């Protein structure tokens, strides 16, 4: 008897999701990365605030950085508050960083954050995708394919 496949990542509480990325990019591989945050950033995320709609990741000096993500200031943070749009370091293994750097440099791929969430241990994580940008005609094909699959499922459900 085959072993059941585990869930991709153990997501307990999704804070921010980039739903547009799955439409704009053809996703190749997905990585789970830790994120280096300050105390007020974690508190702000726990309240469900944060956005990664316009953000991306880049490899600089053998480190991966999450750029342009917005985590608003914590309401009770006073002088210890953080900058909302500062670059945040992503925590990955050196081998993973090497793979990402090679793919971005050689193959013209993009690092796109798909979601920020808290895992089962309460740690903030980023779901990072290695993706290729879709052209307009690819997007149209994707829409047609998705609609056809939906229609086929509807027909099978009604007849079978």
């Amino acid at each position: 008897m085959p072993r059941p496949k585990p869930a991709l990542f153990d997501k307990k509480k999704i804070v921010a999701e980039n739903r547009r990325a799955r439409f704009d990019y053809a996703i190749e591989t997905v990585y789970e990365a830790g994120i280096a945050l300050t105390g007020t950033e974690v508190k702000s995320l726990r309240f469900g605030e944060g956005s990664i709609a316009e953000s991306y990741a880049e490899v600089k000096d053998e480190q991966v950085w999450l750029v342009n993500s917005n985590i608003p200031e914590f309401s009770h943070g006073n002088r210890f508050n953080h900058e909302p749009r500062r670059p945040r370091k992503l925590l990955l293994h050196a081998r993973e960083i090497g793979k990402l750097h090679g793919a971005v440099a050689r193959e013209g791929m993009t690092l796109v954050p798909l979601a920020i969430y808290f895992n089962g241990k309460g740690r903030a994580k980023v779901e990072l995708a290695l993706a290729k940008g879709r052209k307009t005609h690819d997007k149209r094909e994707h829409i047609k394919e998705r609609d056809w699959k939906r229609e086929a499922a509807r027909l099978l459900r009604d007849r079978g």
Side-chain angles (χ1 to χ4, degrees):
M1 185 167 147
R3 183 179 300 168
K5 290 189 177 182
L8 193 59
F9 299 118
D10 183 27
K11 298 180 189 177
K12 292 295 180 191
K13 180 185 176 191
I14 296 178
V15 177
E17 196 170 13
N18 189 357
R19 297 181 62 189
R20 182 87 184 159
R22 295 196 186 272
F23 180 70
D24 288 339
Y25 297 95
I27 293 170
E28 303 271 325
T29 50
V30 179
Y31 295 91
E32 181 182 46
I35 182 168
L37 299 171
T38 63
T40 54
E41 288 174 325
V42 175
K43 289 179 181 182
S44 192
L45 283 176
R46 289 209 188 276
F47 276 109
E49 299 173 352
S51 169
I52 55 170
E54 303 115 22
S55 64
Y56 62 95
E58 63 183 3
V59 181
K60 256 198 245 175
D61 302 326
E62 298 177 8
Q63 294 179 344
V64 181
W65 295 87
L66 182 64
V67 180
N68 208 20
S69 63
N70 183 28
I71 299 175
E73 290 184 345
F74 184 57
S75 58
H76 304 305
N78 59 41
R79 66 177 185 201
F80 299 112
N81 246 327
H82 60 276
E83 248 183 83
R85 287 196 178 266
R86 74 175 183 90
R88 293 168 177 91
K89 185 177 176 181
L90 297 180
L91 310 172
L92 290 159
H93 292 285
R95 185 175 291 157
E96 290 175 329
I97 293 173
K99 285 181 186 177
L100 294 175
H101 180 66
V104 169
R106 279 186 237 105
E107 300 167 29
M109 309 275 279
T110 309
L111 292 173
V112 182
L114 298 177
I116 295 179
Y117 59 91
F118 287 99
N119 68 358
K121 293 182 180 178
R123 309 259 190 221
K125 300 286 183 179
V126 175
E127 190 175 31
L128 191 65
L130 190 59
K132 244 186 186 158
R134 281 194 179 129
K135 305 272 192 271
T136 308
H137 59 86
D138 292 337
K139 291 179 187 177
R140 286 192 206 115
E141 284 179 25
H142 182 68
I143 291 171
K144 285 179 191 174
E145 184 181 322
R146 185 180 63 202
D147 289 346
W148 168 244
K149 284 182 182 175
R150 199 175 288 154
E151 186 66 30
R154 189 177 301 127
L155 288 170
L156 286 172
R157 187 181 63 233
D158 290 344
R159 291 189 182 181

